[in-house]
């Protein structure tokens, strides 16, 4: 494809969905991707042992948005998979125990025993009602002494240490929407998500992206950093040495667009430690959260999630969280949302707004904690706007 009228930077969900929508409407789209592969952080591949792994951490698709589900279903069929997570922690008697996360009525009985568990269940159900979700911060406000004691237990055994590992700070000091993602659930439903649609792309995420980007109006240039071609130093947006007036959709970190001139936007990064073992199965669930001890936050065993039938070998990944420094080999994974950082983001977004044909889209470019489905929905909406 020699000519293009739209440039998209990044081949994750934000970039790929936008590209596909525009391409189907007849736009000629060039995608630049810094990495040597498509898929962004959802990229998966076979490792040396032949196990399908998620290179940038476990990705489980879930949504209540039928439009998003139907859209992605054009590019993949689905493995019917409901993600389940357990907390693994010391049992106080020299051993370890496991119970469901989000902390639910089963967790309560495991932690407190059947009698005390049933009594506390009743107190909770009386206070909030069956099947209700209550955030840990909300639960801690409850003045009832039984519920306050229970909230203290859950805070100590599920939230505070995990959050300290993940964010380097306590649950009160991070955006309340973050811990609200994993509320206490007054239910016996042990699934991590209750969304109407959930599953895994049957042949993996990378195949889904292969299908989505397979269109005559889309050209993808891998291992190409957009900053080799994009120039925002003047009044007009320049691309490949010439003024470019077509839409440019940027899905990378917004501070990098402007050489971090106001300072770097803070992020948490992760170190992933992959380990392969000569066994069928290594752990009980897709993901096990180490909520009290251990230096890593969680361990994921991919075969549980992908349904891959591969006897005698399995691969797990341990996640270690730390501050992102901007070093070339680090990836910014989680925006650290607070007033100060959001204000810094706004300063960069204002610089970007000087270019009317530059659009910021995605988890990095918008500095938000978006799941995949939210990004797909936003990409569909932006493509709709661009096609008006
Ligand atoms: P990305 O996937 O990050 O894609 C952006 C792309 O832009 C990258 O490929 C990057 O290389 C490229 N890029 C950046 N700058 C440049 C440049 N200058 N030039 C060229 N290319 C550039 N969501 C869920 O729904 N379910 C989950 O289970 C889930 N698990 C997650 C687990 C982890 C550990 C993390 C970090 C996230 C998880 N997410 C999950 C969120 C999910 O990863 C994001 O919603 C999704 O990847 C966002 O897509 P995106 O296109 O905005 O960003
Ligand atoms: N969290 C926790 N303990 C857990 C699970 C989650 O404290 O066992 C908190 C923690 O602060 C985490 C947040 O809830 O960052 C959101 O968890 P989620 O599993 O949604 O995080 P993600 O999968 O996006 O990393």
């Amino acid at each position: 494809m020699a000519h293009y009228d739209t440039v998209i930077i990044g081949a994750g969900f934000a970039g790929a969905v936008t590209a596909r929508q525009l391409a189907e409407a007849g736009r000629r789209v060039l995608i630049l991707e810094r990495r040597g592969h498509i898929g962004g952080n959802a990229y998966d591949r076979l490792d040396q042992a032949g196990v399908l792994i998620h290179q940038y951490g476990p990705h489980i698709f879930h949504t209540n948005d039928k439009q998003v589900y139907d859209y992605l279903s054009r590019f993949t069929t689905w493995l019917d998979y409901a993600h389940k997570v357990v907390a693994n922690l010391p049992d106080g008697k020299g051993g370890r125990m496991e119970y469901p996360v989000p902390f639910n009525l089963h967790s309560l009985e495991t932690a407190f025993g059947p009698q005390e568990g049933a009594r506390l269940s009743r107190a909770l159900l009386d206070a909030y009602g069956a099947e209700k979700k209550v955030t840990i911060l909300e639960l801690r406000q409850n003045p009832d002494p039984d519920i306050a004691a229970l909230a203290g237990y859950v805070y100590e055994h599920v939230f505070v240490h995990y959050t300290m590992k993940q964010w380097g700070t306590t649950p009160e000091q991070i955006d309340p929407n973050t811990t609200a993602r994993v509320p206490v659930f007054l239910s016996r439903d042990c699934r991590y998500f209750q969304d109407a649609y959930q599953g895994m792309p049957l042949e993996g995420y990378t195949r889904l992206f292969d299908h989505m980007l397979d269109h005559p109006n889309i050209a993808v240039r891998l291992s190409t950093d957009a900053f080799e071609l994009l120039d925002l130093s003047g009044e007009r947006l320049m691309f490949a040495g010439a003024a470019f007036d077509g839409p440019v959709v940027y899905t990378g970190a917004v501070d990098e667009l402007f050489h971090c001139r106001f300072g770097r936007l803070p992020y948490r990064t992760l170190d992933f430690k992959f380990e392969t073992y000569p066994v069928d199965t290594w752990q009980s669930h897709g993901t096990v959260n180490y909520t009290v001890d251990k230096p890593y936050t969680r361990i994921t065993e991919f075969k549980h999630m992908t349904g891959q039938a591969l006897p005698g070998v399995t691969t797990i990944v341990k996640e270690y969280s730390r501050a992102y420094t901007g070093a070339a080999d680090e990836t910014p994974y989680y925006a650290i949302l607070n007033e100060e950082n959001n204000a810094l983001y706004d300063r960069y977004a204002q610089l970007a707004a000087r270019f009317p044909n530059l659009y910021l889209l995605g988890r990095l470019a918008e500095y938000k904690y978006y799941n995949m489905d939210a990004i797909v929905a936003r990409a569909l909406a932006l493509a709709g706007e661009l096609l008006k």
Side-chain angles (χ1 to χ4, degrees), residues 231-237 258 351-359:
D231 179 358
L232 299 178
S233 61
E235 288 297 301
R236 281 180 79 180
L237 186 153
F258 301 102
L351 289 183
R354 292 204 340 254
F355 301 93
N357 57 329
L358 177 63
Y359 298 87

Side-chain angles (χ1 to χ4, degrees), residues 28-66:
R28 286 159 308 164
V29 182
L30 174 67
I31 303 185
L32 305 176
E33 170 54 60
R34 188 189 260 172
R35 291 169 170 166
H37 60 74
I38 56 175
N41 287 341
Y43 172 69
D44 55 15
R45 65 174 174 85
L46 296 181
D47 68 7
Q48 280 194 329
V51 181
L52 182 61
I53 60 161
H54 295 182
Q55 185 153 313
Y56 306 97
H59 280 70
I60 300 100
F61 180 76
H62 57 100
T63 191
N64 283 318
D65 187 334
K66 184 169 187 306

Side-chain angles (χ1 to χ4, degrees), residues 20 63 94 118-119 122 237 273 281-282 284 340:
R20 179 75 191 204
T63 191
R119 196 179 70 79
R122 272 195 302 278
L237 186 153
K273 188 161 175 272
T281 308
W282 194 84
S284 60
E340 188 184 343

Side-chain angles (χ1 to χ4, degrees), residues 105-153:
L105 300 179
H106 283 297
S107 317
L108 192 59
E109 281 160 15
T110 308
F112 290 89
Q115 266 188 328
E116 180 65 359
R119 196 179 70 79
L120 290 170
S121 280
R122 272 195 302 278
L124 277 175
L125 292 169
D126 286 348
Y128 298 100
E131 303 302 312
K132 285 280 156 32
K133 293 182 172 179
V134 189
T135 71
I136 184 61
L137 298 178
E138 206 182 331
L139 198 66
R140 290 187 92 209
Q141 306 288 319
N142 194 306
D144 178 302
D146 278 339
I147 294 178
L150 171 65
Y153 172 89

